[in-house]
Amino acid sequence: MSNVIRVRAGLLRETHPGERRVALTPDDVRRLCERMSVRFERSCGIGAGHVDDAYIAAGAEPAEFAEMAPSSDVFVSVRQPAATRIFPATSVVIFLGSNAAPVAGLAAGQRPLYLDIARLSGMQGVKGADISSRQAAITGHAAVLEAARQFGISHPMLTVDGSFVRPVKMAALGSDAASLQALATARRLGALTHGFGPGKDSQAKIERFGARFLGTSLDQELSDPLSKMQLITTNVVIPGQTPPVLLDEDMLSRLSPGAVVVDLAAESGGNCALTRADETISVSGIRIIGSTTLASHEAGEASRHFSDGLRNLLEHLIDEHGILRLGPGDSTTAALMAETNRMRRVSS
């Protein structure tokens, strides 16, 4: 029997308002407990449908943050923990991209090692690389369902007295996973879909989902088709920069009253000139949704996918003896520990 002390992990309760996901489900905790000890904050999984007793049955122990903080090696959460949470300088904190800055006033050597899973996005064959894309897809799906709720309809192809309701015209500005899933969801609901994307391969991606391609640059030629849209989702983010304004006030004024804009880039500044993060505003009859917690609308499913990817990542980082391996020769750990985040850069 080995005398090596296994990694001690802490599963955190999310603190961001409206965030209902959990980083690990009881099923994945059970599998991880074979190589590491796990403590969890009480009620961490309630929003996603997982009670404390399920975590205890899986082999985890409940603990307050003040208890687990001094004696845990690894902490996991969906979002970057609030700056008010102080972690040991020797610990590792794993989470999915956030705009929160590290704790102010602490030198680099006094901070824990922050590992942002977003750094793995797009890396083929790397453990945990699919977490970002899966969460983005769920967000895009939820965005369209939320817009349908805002319209006050349950289905664009709803039949009333034998006649079909006129299909909603929808455009997705962006060719990322969230935008493509928004197109797919809207099309399944019967909408007439259109897509805009700045990348050279955007047209192929968008047309693969059965949408009409609108182009790769926002110019006067787009004003007319966009003005006819009843639903627009936006998610164009440039790494290291504030998101570009795709819908300025002039463009918004051209939209028909009743149109809905879902700005999926709201957390990092927004693609719409009037977006307010975590708010829904109405301007001249147009609703602009700046929610940053759309994935939490489907917290159970989103948590299942997040947990599955995180378990795979932890099983890669922690060997069968329970030792955390962060070797620079491994592509996964090299990406996680890179100084520059591919998705966004937080200034320290």
Side-chain angles (χ1 to χ4, degrees), residues 270-338:
N271 293 135
C272 176
L274 301 180
T275 296
R276 296 177 189 169
D278 292 313
E279 292 186 29
T280 295
I281 64 172
S282 181
V283 179
S284 300
I286 300 165
R287 281 157 291 183
I288 303 170
I289 301 172
S291 174
T292 64
T293 57
L294 285 168
S296 283
H297 291 195
E298 301 179 36
E301 188 68 6
S303 296
R304 184 177 70 82
H305 285 289
F306 193 103
S307 179
D308 180 66
L310 181 57
R311 174 183 52 76
N312 283 327
L313 177 61
L314 290 172
E315 287 177 341
H316 178 78
L317 298 177
I318 301 169
D319 67 21
E320 65 274 15
H321 303 296
I323 305 299
L324 180 64
R325 306 291 186 186
L326 294 175
D330 177 75
S331 59
T332 300
T333 55
L336 282 171
M337 298 176 71

